[in-house]
Amino acid sequence: MELRINPASRTPIYRQLTEQLREAVARGKLRTGERLPSVRELAGELVVNPNTIARVYTELEREGVLNTRAGLGVFVAQPQAELTRRVRRQRLQKVLDRFMTEAVHLGFSAEEVVSLVEQGVKEFSWPSTDQ
Amino acid sequence: MELRINPASRTPIYRQLTEQLREAVARGKLRTGERLPSVRELAGELVVNPNTIARVYTELEREGVLNTRAGLGVFVAQPQAELTRRVRRQRLQKVLDRFMTEAVHLGFSAEEVVSLVEQGVKEFSWPSTDQ
Amino acid sequence: MELRINPASRTPIYRQLTEQLREAVARGKLRTGERLPSVRELAGELVVNPNTIARVYTELEREGVLNTRAGLGVFVAQPQAELTRRVRRQRLQKVLDRFMTEAVHLGFSAEEVVSLVEQGVKEFSWPSTDQ
Amino acid sequence: MELRINPASRTPIYRQLTEQLREAVARGKLRTGERLPSVRELAGELVVNPNTIARVYTELEREGVLNTRAGLGVFVAQPQAELTRRVRRQRLQKVLDRFMTEAVHLGFSAEEVVSLVEQGVKEFSWPSTDQ
DNA sequence: GTGGTCTAGACCACC
DNA sequence: GTGGTCTAGACCACG
């Protein structure tokens, strides 16, 4: 698992990291139960303040992506969907609209977009349907 | 064309507006050559600071979505795909990844996602394929 | 709205404050749309670090209790229930069990408990049923 | 009597256990005079550090829920309401307020709450009223 | 003016 | 050792 930050970016470091971690979990690069580097370790590695890493871990814990065991470390949590179908649908729609908008402005065709999605879908780890 | 701002949102007003305008163009609700309200008009209508609207128009002009003709007003620009295929592909991939990541964490299945995209694609105005 | 902190308590200051604010909203002492003191104001008043107050506001925003408008301040948000019926029920059950357990250990009778609840219910502002 | 620990939870293990034991006594699942497993036994069973169990028993003894008889083991104590009515009322009020606050934020109605309490009350073992 | 981010460094609780 | 909290103080974005 390699994380990269761009200190020059407009998006704050802690957000860059939460996004990368969220994506890594969604891609199955980080698996349920897996342990993440400790706050101090990661802070040292990325040369940022430990508080910044702590914030990343805290936010992802509140989202239900990670969980913390005091004295042991931070781990990838069990996936869970606590939100109403309606809310989940709304949230996804937003990101979908942004994706479509970008695609149009970049000059892609409808066919290309569908095909890209069909390809992309394979690289993520979807919930098992029998759950 | 109706624009709505949500003062409760975390995303700043100027970004809410640029996003909506970009999306409106992508959906074909605003067509090439169409004239937008003046800075003052729109600022009055939405009850926001004219500086905010000016910033919106400036950013969209920089992006190539709008263009300003001095003394005449602000217009929807000609679509132009001047970027290399590679860069366009990279940019789209980013938004696609965000979409997929969100979908996984919200507990959607791969099939649902593909189906949503197939539906969504119909609501946007894609460039003519013979271009 | 008066907030009090006990720096000697085991529960961290930011939690003391989030609990008090959450309760004030639930009791209707803080109404939807009402503005809270600014981060610096409240920090000065309570003699704590502004970061601590910022944390309180941030957490309550993520919970959907407050919302922030950059440059304007922090406000009580519209109530909203985004969670699954099942999850909401589970969470409430936990607090209910804790309440019952405490009541038994303190030597209250079943009748007293029910009566206390019937009284207490009147002091909170419940969602309008026609919603 | 089965105890379960959730290592993923934010609340420390020793608190999870004290809560469960307190609740078990309140529900009548553990009766006055009943003997609990020894520190070593329980630690082995739950695969936790014996220090953690010792802490649990110590805290519950301090609360008056358990008592230790040297060389014999740990037992469920006689219920005792030695606190003044006023103090007991205050303590209960705190938990009741937390319960109500949670209920409001989770979107329950006043009727639902009262009904839940009326149901829940049946599952606990209240002191005989002629006491 | 408002809130948001980040750093540096201290102290505490848990295991 | 682990993470959690708090302070002090700096700098930036928003309106």
Side-chain angles (χ1 to χ4, degrees), chain A residues 14 55 58-59 62 81-85 87 91, chain C residues 14 55 58-59 62 81-85 87 91:
Chain A
Y14 86 93
R55 177 168 188 179
T58 309
E59 300 235 331
R62 251 184 307 245
E82 306 195 312
L83 300 174
T84 305
R85 169 104 200 143
V87 171
R91 296 213 182 152
Chain C
Y14 87 93
R55 177 167 190 182
T58 308
E59 299 234 333
R62 251 184 305 246
E82 307 193 312
L83 301 173
T84 306
R85 168 106 200 139
V87 171
R91 295 214 183 152

Side-chain angles (χ1 to χ4, degrees), chain B residues 72-126:
Chain B
L72 292 178
V74 180
F75 300 82
V76 178
Q78 287 274 349
Q80 41 189 336
E82 63 199 359
L83 302 170
T84 69
R85 166 106 198 139
R86 191 154 162 284
V87 171
R88 290 160 53 221
R89 192 62 178 59
Q90 278 178 348
R91 289 213 190 154
L92 190 61
Q93 191 63 46
K94 263 197 174 175
V95 204
L96 178 53
D97 288 346
R98 211 173 301 158
F99 169 57
M100 294 286 188
T101 300
E102 192 81 356
V104 170
H105 279 118
L106 287 171
F108 287 89
S109 72
E111 294 75 30
E112 284 174 304
V113 165
V114 172
S115 148
L116 273 172
V117 169
E118 284 167 345
Q119 291 303 315
V121 120
K122 296 176 191 162
E123 297 169 12
F124 284 76
S125 76
W126 303 93

Side-chain angles (χ1 to χ4, degrees), chain D residues 53-92:
Chain D
I53 304 298
R55 180 168 185 180
V56 170
Y57 283 172
T58 310
E59 300 232 336
L60 289 172
E61 179 153 25
R62 201 161 37 73
E63 278 181 35
V65 175
L66 303 180
N67 58 46
T68 303
R69 304 183 210 156
L72 293 177
V74 179
F75 300 82
V76 178
Q78 286 275 349
Q80 42 188 338
E82 62 201 2
L83 302 170
T84 69
R85 166 105 198 142
R86 191 155 161 282
V87 171
R88 289 160 54 221
R89 192 62 178 59
Q90 278 179 348
R91 289 214 189 153
L92 190 61

Side-chain angles (χ1 to χ4, degrees), chain A residues 22-38:
Chain A
R22 235 184 268 121
E23 183 170 334
V25 171
R27 283 186 184 278
K29 286 185 179 170
L30 288 174
R31 306 206 156 272
T32 300
E34 193 167 331
R35 186 174 178 280
L36 273 69
S38 82

